[in-house]
Amino acid sequence: MINIALPKGRLGEKIYDLFERAGYECPSIKEKNRKLIFENEEKGVRYFWVKPSDVSIYVERGAADIGVCGKDILAEYSPNVYELLDMKTGVCRLAVAAKKGFYDDGRHTLKVATKFVNCAKRFYAAKSRDIDIIHLNGSIEIAPILGLSDVIVDIVETGSTLKENDLEVVETIFPISARLISNKASFKFKTKEIEDLVEKVKLLLNEKEL
Amino acid sequence: MSELILKEEERISLSLRSLYKKYGYQPYKMSKFEEYDLYVTNKEFLVGDGVITFNDTDGKLLALKPDVTLSIIRNSVNAADKRKVYYDENVYRISAKTKQFKEIRQVGLECIGDVGIYDEYETVTLAAASLAEISEDFVLDVSHLGVLSAILNSVSENREFQSALMFCLAEKNVHEAESICDSFGVSEEDKKRLSILFTAYGAPQEVLEKLAPVCKGKAKAAFKKLQTLCKLLGNSKYAKKIRLDFSVVNDMNYYSDIVFKGFIDGVAEGVLSGGRYDKLMVRMGKNVGAVGFAVYLDLLEGFREEKSATDVDVLILYNEKTSITVLVKMVEKLTKKGYSVSAQTCKTGLRYGECVDLRGGNV
């Protein structure tokens, strides 16, 4: 039995569809109820929905054997897991954005508002830029408008939220997509099952690309 | 009876110690405190975790021992003979992630001095035997940093490239490695050679066959060493549990040659970690080789422990009306029969099998 942690929400549903097409279906998951764990004994899979940012924790601690989460989460928390596959879905990027026309003259400490504290610190440390991190949990876009910060470091998908708030991307930090991760110990003892699953999903993804 | 009282990790610690003794390893006991200087210069050896420090009575900075290996090396004599020691110690660190103090129980061994292929074999076999003491469902992953660094060096000596690629290797992250190779302009042929490091893992013989064609030049010498070791291990009792896997990467500033990591089915993290650390010896001014490993017993807490439905067999209730002689006799009688007993004046949260009520003086 492989335990699979999926991120709650649109991305997770898309990922489940992929797994289903790869032959790991679990019909009960589509029933409308509040259950969180779904099992298909015959196919040897058990799915559960968790908060997207928690997927890596479930996998790292072995409560889930494998899971799918965004590269942003992996880069931010650096969990000790295997990253086995780029699922090429949920594509976006982590970027620096600021009010239109903003120019960093480098004369003062740069105030950076973000959810991704570690990523932002690493990015600016590599440039030796002195920054003041402001950790926010949501509605990051509002920070530069109200003068709370000079720039924000956040996920940008289409850029329309930024545009509507009169902000623009200054710099891309790294591209993001959903990744399939595995607990290291689980991979040792369920090698065949996990490899099979990864291989089948990979084939599907390649088909899609062609 | 003693087996019932010993916790699983205590039982394991006892059997590991007697295993190491059998192979001539001597017990090593050390002080809880060390001078902080020892750790400052080798900070990365502690894998990112912090050291708990405090001042000595004369103002000198001391550390609560965060690691055993460094202390053993410092106290080892620089001679041609071999020193084989084992230890069972608590070490203390500040978790890099949660910033909390943590206590880690390590049992392990070190072989320091004129270390050769036999010692590497003995250490890996003892590592496998240690895991077998814990559970029969285990895997010991072995990697060779000599092979790895020779192959990486033959592709590019750029430090940034190497450390980025090692990071991907530890994650079995092929897609990221490909894009790193592209950004550093690695040739298609070299990419293919590198991909073998990522995709070849499993039974040693199979992996060696896949690896042989890509080991040229310096890598060939290291490959030969690995081959000899694998041949020896192939005849050992644990041959089927030992695998080659290059995703086991330890810091190349400290480790050379073989490194290994042990996993137990049902425990989410690797419980055993070790390797040959000649480079660390050189950094500490000792011109000899060394190989060793540690088992992290704290990870085994609660492993396979059966949850009991009761805390005591019999709860005896008494109050001021109860004759003390009656109570004493009752406790004696029951414990003699082998029951565990708790005498209380009222029902607490304690879970019990039977209850004997001596309140009011009557049974």
Side-chain angles (χ1 to χ4, degrees):
Chain A
M1 179 72 69
I2 313 180
N3 293 304
I4 306 171
L6 291 177
K8 233 187 267 176
R10 227 176 47 219
L11 175 67
E13 281 162 25
K14 230 166 141 183
I15 299 291
Y16 169 74
D17 286 340
L18 252 168
F19 282 159
E20 185 181 72
R21 280 198 291 138
Y24 295 90
E25 72 271 20
C26 182
S28 59
I29 210 166
K30 299 234 159 140
E31 289 163 15
K32 287 250 175 290
N33 56 30
R34 283 168 179 254
K35 254 168 71 171
L36 293 169
I37 301 178
F38 307 89
E39 190 176 315
N40 184 346
E41 219 170 299
E42 189 197 339
K43 297 282 175 186
V45 285
R46 184 188 292 133
Y47 291 98
F48 40 89
W49 298 113
V50 299
K51 197 174 159 155
S53 54
D54 290 344
V55 169
S56 67
I57 298 171
Y58 281 81
V59 175
E60 185 179 26
R61 296 217 165 216
D65 298 315
I66 63 170
V68 175
C69 67
K71 184 66 187 174
D72 49 323
I73 303 295
L74 299 175
E76 180 65 17
Y77 300 110
S78 320
N80 184 14
V81 294
Y82 289 140
E83 187 184 316
L84 298 176
L85 191 65
D86 182 351
M87 308 273 295
K88 292 171 189 156
T89 26
V91 178
C92 51
R93 59 190 163 139
L94 191 72
V96 182
K99 269 205 278 194
K100 252 183 205 150
F102 170 79
Y103 172 70
D104 178 16
D105 56 11
R107 273 201 263 177
H108 305 281
T109 303
L110 188 70
K111 285 187 280 179
V112 182
T114 186
K115 242 200 286 198
F116 300 93
V117 173
N118 297 325
C119 291
K121 270 191 202 161
R122 262 203 310 268
F123 177 70
Y124 284 106
K127 298 174 161 228
S128 304
R129 181 75 175 98
D130 184 34
I131 57 165
D132 178 16
I133 292 249
I134 302 160
H135 184 202
L136 296 179
N137 292 302
S139 308
I140 320 283
E141 296 85 2
I142 210 171
I145 301 169
L146 297 179
L148 177 64
S149 75
D150 299 316
V151 296
I152 60 171
V153 167
D154 204 14
I155 290 173
V156 178
E157 212 173 326
T158 56
S160 53
T161 318
L162 292 181
K163 210 175 267 170
E164 277 168 35
N165 289 293
D166 216 20
L167 302 172
E168 63 184 6
V169 171
V170 179
E171 213 170 340
T172 294
I173 301 181
F174 58 78
I176 296 169
S177 57
R179 309 290 162 97
L180 195 155
I181 56 173
S182 162
N183 175 272
K184 288 192 173 178
S186 296
F187 189 81
K188 308 289 158 197
F189 299 101
K190 298 180 180 175
T191 315
K192 183 88 181 59
E193 291 106 302
I194 295 177
E195 275 181 341
D196 280 354
L197 184 142
V198 170
E199 211 39 55
K200 282 177 192 161
V201 174
K202 203 168 161 182
L203 274 176
L204 265 181
L205 288 172
N206 288 346
E207 265 172 37
K208 220 166 100 183
E209 236 173 57
L210 293 174
Chain B
M1 196 64 186
S2 66
E3 271 158 31
L4 289 175
I5 290 170
L6 280 182
K7 282 192 204 156
E8 183 70 5
E9 66 262 31
E10 288 167 336
R11 180 194 67 74
I12 292 165
S13 138
L14 284 180
S15 55
L16 291 183
R17 269 146 53 193
S18 82
L19 171 72
Y20 304 153
K21 216 168 174 165
K22 232 175 16 195
Y23 284 81
Y25 288 77
Q26 301 302 313
Y28 190 95
K29 172 83 195 154
M30 64 198 61
S31 150
K32 284 231 177 320
F33 319 118
E34 275 284 0
E35 278 172 35
Y36 180 60
D37 285 2
L38 175 62
Y39 306 108
V40 181
T41 40
N42 294 294
K43 232 160 65 196
E44 293 88 4
F45 188 72
L46 307 171
V47 227
D49 283 345
V51 179
I52 304 171
T53 56
F54 58 97
N55 285 99
D56 195 357
T57 43
D58 59 5
K60 208 164 49 186
L61 196 57
L62 291 186
L64 256 184
K65 185 181 54 194
D67 180 76
V68 181
T69 311
L70 290 171
S71 310
I72 293 184
I73 298 174
R74 176 142 86 168
N75 295 319
S76 73
V77 273
N78 212 352
D81 61 337
K82 246 181 289 186
R83 193 151 177 247
K84 296 184 173 189
V85 293
Y86 73 83
Y87 56 83
D88 178 356
E89 296 275 342
N90 284 325
V91 297
Y92 304 87
R93 295 184 184 178
I94 303 170
S95 160
K97 269 192 185 156
T98 61
K99 308 280 176 234
Q100 277 177 313
F101 289 177
K102 56 180 184 180
E103 186 179 49
I104 304 165
R105 186 160 176 202
Q106 284 186 355
V107 180
L109 58 84
E110 317 286 349
C111 172
I112 297 175
D114 183 17
V115 175
I117 183 85
Y118 171 76
D119 303 293
E120 283 188 1
Y121 165 77
E122 186 180 83
T123 312
V124 176
T125 318
L126 280 175
S130 304
L131 293 166
E133 288 287 349
I134 301 167
S135 159
E136 53 184 36
D137 294 318
F138 74 88
V139 166
L140 184 65
D141 276 350
V142 180
S143 165
H144 198 286
L145 293 182
V147 175
L148 193 62
S149 69
I151 292 181
L152 285 181
N153 278 333
S154 73
V155 174
S156 164
E157 287 189 9
N158 184 322
R159 276 290 174 115
E160 204 186 326
F161 167 77
Q162 291 201 356
S163 72
L165 211 67
M166 292 274 280
F167 199 78
C168 292
L169 189 57
E171 287 184 338
K172 289 188 185 292
N173 190 340
V174 183
H175 45 273
E176 205 85 20
E178 271 171 7
S179 68
I180 288 168
C181 283
D182 287 339
S183 66
F184 279 88
V186 173
S187 72
E188 283 302 314
E189 197 203 325
D190 279 342
K191 263 203 237 166
K192 258 187 205 146
R193 293 174 58 209
L194 288 174
S195 78
I196 290 185
L197 287 176
F198 283 81
T199 52
Y201 50 84
Q205 277 318 316
E206 289 169 26
V207 176
L208 287 174
E209 272 168 38
K210 285 183 200 161
L211 203 62
V214 298
C215 290
K216 292 174 197 148
K218 269 192 188 158
K220 205 163 189 178
F223 178 78
K224 279 248 163 74
K225 275 197 212 164
L226 180 62
Q227 209 173 19
T228 317
L229 181 68
C230 287
K231 211 168 172 190
L232 281 170
L233 292 170
N235 296 322
S236 90
K237 202 162 115 190
Y238 307 109
K240 283 201 175 132
K241 306 279 191 187
I242 296 173
R243 298 183 193 166
L244 282 188
D245 190 326
F246 288 95
S247 73
V248 181
V249 290
N250 281 349
D251 196 324
M252 289 231 215
N253 290 320
Y254 301 103
Y255 290 92
S256 50
D257 297 297
I258 51 158
V259 288
F260 46 88
K261 212 168 189 101
F263 295 88
I264 299 283
D265 196 3
V267 182
E269 284 174 71
V271 298
L272 181 149
S273 171
R276 181 138 181 198
Y277 49 91
D278 293 15
K279 286 187 184 164
L280 175 61
M281 299 298 288
V282 173
R283 284 174 74 123
M284 292 182 69
K286 313 270 173 179
N287 205 10
V288 289
V291 60
F293 64 80
V295 181
Y296 300 96
L297 285 186
D298 54 307
L299 294 177
L300 298 171
E301 205 183 302
F303 174 65
R304 274 211 304 221
E305 217 156 83
E306 277 171 39
K307 287 220 172 94
S308 136
T310 57
D311 301 314
V312 290
D313 297 325
V314 184
L315 175 71
I316 303 175
L317 293 173
Y318 69 98
N319 59 10
E320 67 279 4
K321 286 182 192 156
T322 314
S323 142
I324 289 296
T325 7
V326 172
L327 175 65
V328 169
K329 274 196 180 142
M330 180 58 83
V331 171
E332 263 178 20
K333 192 176 113 193
L334 290 169
T335 49
K336 226 176 223 170
K337 279 189 182 167
Y339 295 114
S340 58
V341 173
S342 180
Q344 302 277 358
T345 46
C346 61
K347 283 192 185 179
T348 56
L350 210 65
R351 299 168 305 164
Y352 54 90
E354 303 279 334
C355 177
V356 177
D357 197 347
L358 299 178
R359 288 178 296 192
N362 302 315
V363 180

